Amino acid sequence: MPRVKVDGVELEVPQGATVLQACELAGKEIPRFCYHERLTIAGNCRMCLVEVKPGPPKPQASCALPTSEGQEIVTNSLTVKKAREGVMEFLLINHPLDCPICDQGGECDLQDQAMAYGRGHNRFHENKRAVTDKYMGPVVKTIMTRCIHCTRCVRFAEEVAGAEEIGAINRGENMEVTSYLEGAVTSELSGNVVDLCPVGALVSKPYSFEARPWELRKIPGIDIMDAVGSNIRIDARQREVMRVLPRINEDLNEEWIHDKTRHAVDGLLRRRLDRPWVRRDGKLQPAIWGEAFEAIAERVRGAGGDEVAAIAGDLCDVESMYATKALLGRFGSKLHECRQDGAKFDVSAPAAYRFNSTIAELEIAPVILLVGANPRWEAPLVNTRIRKAVKAGARVFHIGPEIDLTYPVTHLGGDLSALGTLSQEVRDAFTGRENTALIVGMGALVHDGAYEAARTAATVLGATFNLLHTAAARMGALDLGFVTDGGVDAIRARAGALRALFLLGVDETDLSAFADTFTVYIGTHGDQGAKVADVILPAAAYTEKHGTYVNLEGRVQISEQAVDPPGEAREDWTIIRALSDVLGRTLPFDTLSQIRAAIAAERPHLAVTGISAVEPLAAAKGPAPSVQGAIAYPVQDFYLTNPIARASPTLQRCSEEILHGQTFQEAAE
């Protein structure tokens, strides 16, 4: 490890570290625009200038200069100060005076660094250059006259998102950053370029001119658009969620989120259920809570055993599912199920249904086999980890319909039969390697025997077995035991004998079998489940309640309440608790702390945030079952996978334009 001096302080730095990183280790703040820790080094803004000895007698860009033994680095000399002032002066030559109307105002790197490192006056009086704005799609708005050519967006699109659709054209003063043919950027991660842009050249189109950062309350939350459990920050003003931004979590989402997470927030206000409804004479009519509860009580009075059932949707929190299971337990019913997609797999032990490799460790996997999984749409932040592994030299094999995963894969076929006839090439690639992974998607697990065949293949290949869940509620429900033998098909088979069926935000499964069953829908939006319900009870969305969620690794996380629910909507578990009184089956908790204490008493690991240790998955025994069947991915439209997303105008337009090729004219056209 080389030893260097930074402003007279000697320290050791890791081999290969840059001068900028050495300065940061010494506690020095180095301004930068183009440099970003997760992107390759460009060295083109020159804001990070420092003096380095031995070396040429002039300031040097610290981001692109490696450290070496005996270097003396000076970050605060008069020469460095003047050099930074000069760089800032040049950057501002053509930058427009847009701060009063710029969406980046208040959280702009250029503003902050101009104040800290810039000159107090301007010596340039010539005309500024102007650049026409580029079209980059429904989520990114461009004001390219502000662009300082840091190329962060270009490098992100190429290196992280894997969609090489943003680049620079022309040279010198005529250089412009644009998307390919000025078309919409098709990456599901494109919104991250807004966070990366150090000026206001790229801003969020749906959020444009909506709020200033100092007006917003910032609340930590957990994303429920997929099962990754990305850490997010919910920015709210009064009773409205204005935007969602990523929080840094190196084990999960690093500092990225996908566009569905970022832009589903405008769906929180639309198509909302804000009052109870009761079906009378075949038509849903508004009601008060007492009337809705009494309508339920009339139908379930005297019910017992498996005459009452419940299905949990994809967006439920642990508290609501625990309360529902407890209520069904008071009836003596065990008909509760969370796998509304019909996936079949072993639920007897956590290791049997977890993503055992963990998301972060997927980066070091040398070989990965994907079975019926499309991680680009089912878990985009898992896909970025696989992409990093591929860039480090990993090989990826794939069974399922051919798709663009943003990295090269070896396609083995689209039928599950390929799982039982793995070629020698695949076996040789796994042989003798550690940290290899087999990832099974829900698209494969709807076939009988697919789970057992995948387990056997993982044992034969010596790979870690992983299930790629698509639902944020799934892992928490499995940990609670919110399952029944035979899955959702077993509940459908008993539809005629059911006195009542509770649907917790169930909108993604076929409900036609329950056409004659008394159905209670507890949810947020007037989506598929609400259409068939006899009683609708309005619930709080994930931004409107305190909730516990378990991600696909088994990581327990807490999301905080950002805003109040609309109208008469209430938190799901409080609805179940109040209903239990009316039904004469009173549940033993009244507050959030009490229900969490009850959960902790029954399932202690759900009271501790993080990943709990579990028994390792035993090797599969016996020959693999013969299995075949064409694989169909469960996510057919990335942008419209749940009621919140389907209610979002932004995501509707993303679906129409990016996935279905519909064109939209801008105002100038």
Side-chain angles (χ1 to χ4, degrees):
M1 296 175 66
R3 298 189 67 84
V4 300
K5 281 187 178 180
V6 179
D7 292 340
V9 178
E10 188 172 328
L11 71 156
E12 279 190 351
V13 297
Q15 190 68 41
T18 63
V19 170
L20 186 149
Q21 291 169 327
C23 294
E24 290 190 331
L25 287 173
K28 304 296 180 180
E29 180 181 342
I30 305 297
R32 83 291 297 269
F33 291 112
C34 67
Y35 175 80
H36 192 278
E37 294 81 357
R38 302 187 197 277
L39 305 176
T40 56
I41 295 169
N44 53 12
C45 78
R46 320 309 287 181
M47 194 65 204
C48 61
L49 295 173
V50 297
E51 286 190 276
V52 181
K53 300 176 183 177
K58 63 178 183 178
Q60 299 183 66
S62 59
C63 69
L65 184 65
T67 54
S68 60
E69 183 67 33
Q71 275 181 335
E72 295 184 20
I73 305 165
V74 181
T75 69
N76 54 9
S77 68
L78 183 60
T79 301
V80 170
K81 182 175 182 294
K82 282 192 170 184
R84 291 175 180 170
E85 287 179 352
V87 170
M88 180 60 69
E89 194 171 8
F90 276 106
L91 288 174
L92 293 176
I93 287 174
N94 287 310
H95 196 81
L97 297 176
D98 278 352
C99 295
I101 54 99
C102 177
D103 280 301
Q104 199 85 343
E107 47 191 12
C108 173
D109 291 349
L110 189 65
Q111 277 185 333
D112 297 340
Q113 294 185 38
M115 175 66 71
Y117 303 102
R119 297 172 63 92
H121 60 279
N122 179 24
R123 294 180 292 174
F124 289 85
H125 303 287
E126 292 79 6
N127 292 331
K128 294 176 180 286
R129 78 167 191 159
V131 181
T132 56
D133 295 340
K134 314 301 180 185
Y135 184 72
M136 289 192 180
V139 300
V140 180
K141 177 183 177 181
T142 66
I143 306 94
M144 299 312 293
T145 301
R146 301 172 186 165
C147 180
I148 62 170
H149 304 157
C150 70
T151 68
R152 281 186 181 183
C153 55
V154 178
R155 286 174 283 149
F156 173 83
E158 178 182 350
E159 298 163 14
V160 179
E164 300 178 10
E165 299 173 347
I166 304 177
I169 58 175
N170 305 325
R171 301 185 66 183
E173 186 184 28
N174 297 318
M175 177 177 168
E176 299 180 13
V177 174
T178 180
S179 59
Y180 180 66
L181 298 180
E182 293 193 31
V185 178
T186 60
S187 171
E188 60 284 342
L189 299 170
S190 63
N192 290 292
V193 300
V194 173
D195 297 337
L196 285 172
C197 185
V199 295
L202 304 177
V203 295
S204 171
K205 186 173 285 186
Y207 175 72
S208 183
F209 303 127
E210 290 293 328
R212 287 298 196 180
W214 53 83
E215 300 176 325
L216 306 176
R217 291 176 290 109
K218 301 169 179 62
I219 301 93
I222 302 299
D223 173 45
I224 63 168
M225 295 294 127
D226 57 27
V228 173
S230 299
N231 286 201
I232 58 175
R233 192 186 85 193
I234 304 166
D235 286 3
R237 183 177 62 187
Q238 297 178 3
R239 297 186 64 173
E240 181 179 356
V241 175
M242 302 303 297
R243 64 178 180 179
V244 163
L245 297 176
R247 286 187 291 133
I248 295 177
N249 187 319
E250 300 294 347
D251 294 327
L252 291 175
N253 55 304
E254 298 178 286
E255 60 183 87
W256 320 122
I257 52 175
H258 55 75
D259 291 348
K260 187 165 51 176
T261 299
R262 189 182 297 270
H263 295 296
V265 292
D266 56 359
L268 293 169
L269 294 176
R270 295 166 172 83
R271 304 184 189 173
R272 285 301 300 268
L273 299 173
D274 58 0
R275 64 189 304 176
W277 295 77
V278 175
R279 191 177 297 277
R280 300 187 180 98
D281 300 324
K283 184 177 180 180
L284 284 171
Q285 298 180 4
I288 61 174
W289 281 100
E291 293 172 342
F293 283 173
E294 188 56 37
I296 299 171
E298 286 180 9
R299 297 301 295 263
V300 301
R301 193 167 284 124
D306 288 343
E307 291 181 316
V308 181
I311 304 174
D314 293 347
L315 310 182
C316 297
D317 56 280
V318 168
E319 289 83 358
S320 64
M321 292 184 289
Y322 177 82
T324 304
K325 183 184 177 186
L327 179 61
L328 263 62
R330 295 301 174 101
F331 285 95
S333 172
K334 294 183 179 179
L335 281 181
H336 37 62
E337 182 55 63
C338 64
R339 295 166 292 182
Q340 63 168 328
D341 55 5
K344 307 175 184 70
F345 50 84
D346 182 7
V347 298
S348 61
Y353 54 77
R354 281 188 180 181
F355 196 91
N356 295 296
S357 291
T358 73
I359 294 171
E361 291 181 7
L362 205 57
E363 289 183 15
I364 62 174
V367 189
I368 299 170
L369 172 59
L370 300 173
V371 181
N374 176 8
R376 181 174 179 181
W377 280 7
E378 295 168 20
L381 279 308
V382 171
N383 202 55
T384 61
R385 301 283 188 163
I386 300 176
R387 179 172 168 79
K388 290 174 77 171
V390 171
K391 291 175 69 176
R395 289 195 67 184
V396 178
F397 297 94
H398 182 248
I399 298 175
E402 292 192 64
I403 45 176
D404 177 15
L405 292 172
T406 73
Y407 43 81
V409 301
T410 302
H411 188 62
L412 304 179
D415 194 277
L416 275 172
S417 57
L419 194 57
T421 58
L422 295 175
S423 66
Q424 193 61 42
E425 178 189 9
V426 177
R427 296 171 186 267
D428 290 344
F430 278 86
T431 301
R433 301 288 189 91
E434 295 182 351
N435 302 313
T436 57
L438 187 148
I439 301 174
V440 188
M442 296 298 112
L445 297 180
V446 296
H447 295 274
D448 292 328
Y451 177 83
E452 292 76 12
R455 280 278 299 272
T456 303
T459 300
V460 170
L461 297 173
T464 304
F465 183 76
N466 305 281
L467 291 194
L468 186 66
H469 294 284
T470 58
R474 185 70 51 85
M475 285 294 296
L478 295 173
D479 284 353
L480 286 173
F482 203 94
V483 291
T484 191
D485 291 340
V488 72
D489 288 337
I491 298 179
R492 287 196 184 99
R494 290 188 54 83
L498 292 178
R499 297 277 294 277
L501 172 67
F502 291 89
L503 301 176
L504 299 183
V506 177
D507 297 284
E508 319 302 331
T509 193
D510 180 14
L511 297 171
S512 58
F514 306 109
D516 298 324
T517 304
F518 180 75
T519 305
V520 180
Y521 178 80
I522 304 174
T524 60
H525 288 70
D527 210 272
Q528 301 302 316
K531 293 177 182 178
V532 301
D534 295 291
V535 176
I536 297 174
L537 305 178
Y542 69 108
T543 56
E544 300 158 3
K545 60 185 175 184
H546 300 277
T548 303
Y549 299 94
V550 186
N551 83 335
L552 51 80
E553 308 165 300
R555 185 186 302 272
V556 179
Q557 301 185 106
I558 304 295
S559 186
E560 303 296 337
Q561 180 180 359
V563 294
D564 293 327
E568 298 178 41
R570 298 292 183 266
E571 293 187 39
D572 313 56
W573 75 265
T574 64
I575 295 173
I576 299 296
R577 170 61 183 83
L579 178 60
S580 70
D581 276 343
V582 178
L583 299 181
R585 319 273 179 158
T586 303
L587 297 175
F589 41 78
D590 297 310
T591 65
L592 180 66
S593 59
Q594 288 176 352
I595 189 173
R596 285 183 171 170
I599 294 171
E602 188 173 327
R603 310 281 177 167
H605 72 282
L606 292 176
V608 182
T609 56
I611 301 178
S612 59
V614 298
E615 290 292 325
L617 187 62
K621 297 180 180 179
S626 177
V627 59
Q628 60 182 2
I631 294 172
Y633 299 122
V635 178
Q636 295 298 315
D637 189 323
F638 169 74
Y639 297 100
L640 305 178
T641 55
N642 59 63
I644 300 175
R646 287 191 286 272
S648 163
T650 302
L651 295 183
Q652 289 173 16
R653 175 161 173 176
C654 286
S655 172
E656 292 167 357
E657 183 171 355
I658 297 175
L659 299 186
H660 300 105
Q662 186 172 340
T663 58
F664 291 83
Q665 288 189 334
E666 295 294 293
E669 298 176 308

